[in-house]
Amino acid sequence: RRQGMDDPCYNLNYSIALVSSFDIYLMSLTDYAGATELYCKLVEEYNMGLSLLENLLEAGLTTPFEEDSYSNLMALLEK
């Protein structure tokens, strides 16, 4: 089944990607090489046996389901 914008899972997928993207972006501000390496590793070594959330957590990234994940990211982005 294809997801459309009216599907809650569609929006959830973008929320998960947004939080992870901001994590990598914020890391790149202080450690560009490390952020690039993390991104490439996540893309190249994605474990199909794990869920997306498990892969993100294994890579050390936050997920939108962690308490305070949005407020912590907003505080860093506002600096």
Side-chain angles (χ1 to χ4, degrees):
R1 179 185 112 154
R2 187 174 176 185
Q3 294 177 345
M5 286 195 289
D6 58 339
D7 187 333
C9 290
Y10 180 86
N11 294 315
L12 183 60
N13 286 340
Y14 274 97
S15 293
I16 293 168
L18 178 66
V19 170
S20 302
S21 297
F22 278 138
D23 267 351
I24 294 171
Y25 167 72
L26 290 169
M27 180 184 192
S28 76
L29 297 176
T30 57
D31 182 10
Y32 186 81
T36 302
E37 184 179 326
L38 174 63
Y39 174 78
C40 290
K41 180 179 178 183
L42 187 61
V43 171
E44 293 169 2
E45 297 177 17
Y46 188 85
N47 184 339
M48 295 300 284
L50 299 176
S51 70
L52 172 61
L53 295 177
E54 290 170 323
N55 275 288
L56 294 175
L57 290 171
E58 190 171 287
L61 299 170
T62 58
T63 73
F65 304 110
E66 292 178 39
E67 190 172 335
D68 299 326
S69 62
Y70 288 99
S71 58
N72 291 341
L73 285 173
M74 286 307 299
L76 290 170
L77 288 169
E78 289 173 347
K79 286 186 178 182

